[in-house]
Amino acid sequence: MRGRRGFRGSSGLSLFRSLTRVVNINGEIRANGKKCNSCKICEKICPAGAIQVDSNNNKWYYFPRKCIKCYRCVDKCPQRAIMVFP
């Protein structure tokens, strides 16, 4: 699709952001504990502080009331452990 910004030759994040604008995803995020390696990238990248990772217990805490639905954590997770559920 030429002429449309964010589709051809772009990163997955811009495509995901474009799709979220069109579909208006407002789902809750969840982490797969088997895939998570407690790297804390999601905790560092979250602008709202809605995620906390306890690497001692290998636990992942999500605070939905703080979440601003930017889904940066979903895109940046190297293990693909975080998913969006409607």
Side-chain angles (χ1 to χ4, degrees), residues 25-84:
I25 296 174
N26 265 338
E28 182 176 307
I29 60 170
R30 295 182 194 161
N32 182 340
K34 292 179 182 177
K35 289 184 177 181
C36 180
N37 65 357
S38 300
C39 67
K40 294 190 176 190
I41 291 175
C42 55
E43 183 179 87
K44 293 173 189 168
I45 200 133
C46 181
I51 299 171
Q52 289 182 354
V53 179
D54 184 4
S55 53
N56 295 333
N57 298 329
N58 200 21
K59 297 247 182 180
W60 191 86
Y61 301 100
Y62 167 63
F63 304 98
R65 289 190 176 184
K66 286 185 173 182
C67 183
I68 60 172
K69 310 290 191 236
C70 69
Y71 303 116
R72 290 180 190 170
C73 56
V74 175
D75 185 60
K76 295 294 181 183
C77 179
Q79 303 298 318
R80 299 288 180 223
I82 305 172
M83 297 161 281
V84 180

Side-chain angles (χ1 to χ4, degrees), residues 6-7 11-25 45 69-72 75-76:
F7 282 75
S11 69
L13 177 61
S14 60
L15 177 61
F16 183 74
R17 284 185 180 158
S18 299
L19 290 174
T20 55
R21 285 189 198 115
V22 173
V23 181
N24 193 16
I25 296 174
I45 200 133
K69 310 290 191 236
C70 69
Y71 303 116
R72 290 180 190 170
D75 185 60
K76 295 294 181 183

